Amino acid sequence: MTRPAPIRVVLADDERMVRTALRAILSAEPDLEVVGEAATGAEAVSVVRDLRPDVVLMDVRMPEVDGIRATEQILATVDEPPRIVVVTTFENDSYVYDALRAGAAGFLLKRADADALVQAVRLVARSDSLLFPAAVRTLATEHARAHPAPPEWAAKLTGREREVLRHMAEGLTNAEIARRMEVGPATVKSHVAAVLAKTGTRDRTQAVIAAYEAAFLNAG
Amino acid sequence: MTRPAPIRVVLADDERMVRTALRAILSAEPDLEVVGEAATGAEAVSVVRDLRPDVVLMDVRMPEVDGIRATEQILATVDEPPRIVVVTTFENDSYVYDALRAGAAGFLLKRADADALVQAVRLVARSDSLLFPAAVRTLATEHARAHPAPPEWAAKLTGREREVLRHMAEGLTNAEIARRMEVGPATVKSHVAAVLAKTGTRDRTQAVIAAYEAAFLNAG
DNA sequence: ATCCGCCTCCGCCGGACGGGGGAGGACGGC
DNA sequence: GCCGTCCTCCCCCGTCCGGCGGAGGCGGAT
């Protein structure tokens, strides 16, 4: 059984002690190799560019350039970028969301024990398969709110009526909508009336509310 | 060095072949022990209740009760419930969101290789620390949309004006708001006018749109 | 060939809305 | 005590909105 190439790891954290501790933990594993360290976000970017590691453990709070920006920069400028694991202290830290958006492959809590740490590094190195924490759960519920089952009336609206509703939801008056759609104001009034009837609302404000609640603007 | 207790795993999948394959992979690891199997969601619930495993690998698609419901039921009815890893085929499967909401500790792709599988089980068993896939990234961007920085005008609104705006966003007319707030219609008009001025909008519809865009209704 | 849905318009009307004033009272800070 | 802010309410007026009824054309379905 030949020994495969070790997983090359870079540590980015402004506190030397943290880096030392992480290095000690990871170096104890034969399949992990800490190839570099960085104390700032900017340094992290250049170190990664030079050493091309497989995994980066990136602290969020760092001087000059924080971990989020560093992550963005690495993913944007390095080709075949490493998997970046953002390290944070609190699970509900808003940095978590930023990290996800920035393209982090995952994140770790600082209180994670040594075992979890090395397993996380291994997993993310060969990743594809993934896992989640409580913080993300709130995201899922938000997602549910943002994507409700499209209400019955959505299907009943004709093309023109949809257009008009979309324009209403932009805050346009009937006259403006008429100009925008290159039709007469009376035509717009007809469509508006149809929209109100089909949505079961009594005025344009309620119709716009219904559109927002149905996340109508996301579709089509 | 004493051997710690193995991680007890239950497999829930309606296809026998899949269960056999998973069992083969996991049993090869000395620290993992497959203690039970289930072919349906309902069976999974009772098996978990009896065997109290540390981790459950739960397929999403199963006869009778699907994996999501089974997950919900287990987490709701079993105390000290196991970590449940939902197994799915496609990363963008909408089941992923449902799984998160249901309280799954994570999810795995069926195409994950054996190594990733066992590492995921180990990680989730001692979890707390976690990682993410591309699917969740969309959640993060949604989160950003749902929680924009509160606009400047939000701070300028007086208490009454906030109230009025909230009622406007419910689709009430000035007269209705007046009744609701137990003040005169003229008072409501004043507040509405103030809201329009401060939000920089010209009519109630635009004000309501501004409120929605600012996620004004979430706050306060 | 006929019917039905959709799009396009018209006029009329009452009511709601928004703009422009102004005014009085309560409350708290300076 | 004075001033500023907020809440309360009043007037008038022009505009826009929504409800109602009607109408013509056009294209697809049957």
Side-chain angles (χ1 to χ4, degrees), chain B residues 1-60:
Chain B
M1 192 159 163
T2 75
R3 188 169 295 280
I7 298 168
R8 295 156 50 79
V9 181
V10 160
L11 309 176
D13 196 306
D14 58 329
E15 291 181 51
R16 177 185 303 276
M17 267 191 52
V18 173
R19 296 201 303 274
T20 308
L22 291 176
R23 180 183 278 273
I25 292 169
L26 298 178
S27 297
E29 306 295 319
D31 58 333
L32 305 183
E33 184 184 358
V34 177
V35 296
E37 296 183 9
T40 70
E43 206 181 319
V45 176
S46 68
V47 167
V48 166
R49 236 193 289 263
D50 290 347
L51 302 179
R52 319 197 120 273
D54 301 303
V55 175
V56 179
L57 292 186
M58 178 84 72
D59 189 21
V60 259

Side-chain angles (χ1 to χ4, degrees), chain A residues 107 111 128 130-131 176 202, chain B residues 107 128 130-131 176 202:
Chain A
F107 77 96
R111 71 177 124 90
D128 228 49
L130 279 294
L131 316 165
E176 286 169 336
R202 70 173 170 213
Chain B
F107 76 95
D128 227 48
L130 279 293
L131 317 166
E176 286 168 336
R202 71 173 169 213

Side-chain angles (χ1 to χ4, degrees), chain B residues 42-170:
Chain B
E43 206 181 319
V45 176
S46 68
V47 167
V48 166
R49 236 193 289 263
D50 290 347
L51 302 179
R52 319 197 120 273
D54 301 303
V55 175
V56 179
L57 292 186
M58 178 84 72
D59 189 21
V60 259
R61 295 167 205 263
M62 280 191 295
E64 297 175 51
V65 180
D66 68 29
I68 306 294
R69 280 180 188 285
T71 299
E72 284 171 0
Q73 286 179 22
I74 289 171
L75 293 177
T77 64
V78 178
D79 45 25
E80 295 191 51
R83 305 276 180 172
I84 300 177
V85 176
V86 169
V87 180
T88 179
T89 304
F90 303 108
E91 201 169 84
N92 281 321
D93 208 319
S94 74
Y95 284 122
V96 170
Y97 305 117
D98 296 333
L100 275 175
R101 232 183 354 274
F107 76 95
L108 264 176
L109 297 182
K110 280 199 173 171
R111 72 177 123 90
D113 61 26
D115 238 46
L117 175 64
V118 301
Q119 279 161 15
V121 171
R122 285 187 188 127
L123 185 57
V124 82
R126 69 171 55 249
S127 101
D128 227 48
S129 55
L130 279 293
L131 317 166
F132 314 80
V136 186
R137 205 142 299 148
T138 68
L139 287 182
T141 59
E142 279 181 23
H143 180 265
R145 257 199 358 221
H147 297 281
E152 343 63 58
W153 56 256
K156 294 181 180 169
L157 293 183
T158 69
R160 253 355 203 180
E161 288 159 0
R162 278 173 220 279
E163 264 183 85
V164 169
L165 176 53
R166 230 179 304 277
H167 286 127
M168 285 192 275
E170 290 171 23

Side-chain angles (χ1 to χ4, degrees), chain A residues 85 91 96-97 100-101 103-109 111-113 115-116 119-120 122-124 126 128-133 136-137 139-147 168-173 176 202-206 208-209 212-213 218, chain B residues 85 91 96-97 100-101 103-109 111-113 115-116 119-120 122-124 126 128-133 136-137 139-147 168-173 176 202-206 208-209 212-213 218:
Chain A
V85 176
E91 201 170 86
V96 170
Y97 305 116
L100 276 175
R101 229 181 359 272
F107 77 96
L108 264 176
L109 297 182
R111 71 177 124 90
D113 61 26
D115 239 46
Q119 280 162 16
R122 285 185 188 130
L123 185 57
V124 82
R126 69 170 56 248
D128 228 49
S129 56
L130 279 294
L131 316 165
F132 314 79
V136 187
R137 204 142 299 147
L139 288 182
T141 60
E142 280 182 21
H143 179 265
R145 257 198 359 222
H147 297 280
M168 284 193 275
E170 291 170 21
L172 303 182
T173 66
E176 286 169 336
R202 70 173 170 213
D203 57 41
R204 71 200 297 99
T205 302
Q206 287 190 349
V208 168
I209 292 170
Y212 266 88
E213 296 289 355
N218 299 336
Chain B
V85 176
E91 201 169 84
V96 170
Y97 305 117
L100 275 175
R101 232 183 354 274
F107 76 95
L108 264 176
L109 297 182
R111 72 177 123 90
D113 61 26
D115 238 46
Q119 279 161 15
R122 285 187 188 127
L123 185 57
V124 82
R126 69 171 55 249
D128 227 48
S129 55
L130 279 293
L131 317 166
F132 314 80
V136 186
R137 205 142 299 148
L139 287 182
T141 59
E142 279 181 23
H143 180 265
R145 257 199 358 221
H147 297 281
M168 285 192 275
E170 290 171 23
L172 303 182
T173 66
E176 286 168 336
R202 71 173 169 213
D203 58 42
R204 73 203 295 98
T205 302
Q206 288 192 348
V208 168
I209 292 170
Y212 266 87
E213 297 289 356
N218 299 337

Side-chain angles (χ1 to χ4, degrees), chain A residues 133-186:
Chain A
V136 187
R137 204 142 299 147
T138 66
L139 288 182
T141 60
E142 280 182 21
H143 179 265
R145 257 198 359 222
H147 297 280
E152 342 63 58
W153 55 257
K156 294 182 180 168
L157 293 183
T158 69
R160 255 353 207 177
E161 287 158 3
R162 276 172 223 281
E163 264 183 84
V164 169
L165 177 52
R166 225 177 313 275
H167 286 128
M168 284 193 275
E170 291 170 21
L172 303 182
T173 66
N174 287 341
E176 286 169 336
I177 296 173
R179 283 194 287 277
R180 201 72 82 82
M181 291 175 64
E182 294 181 325
V183 296

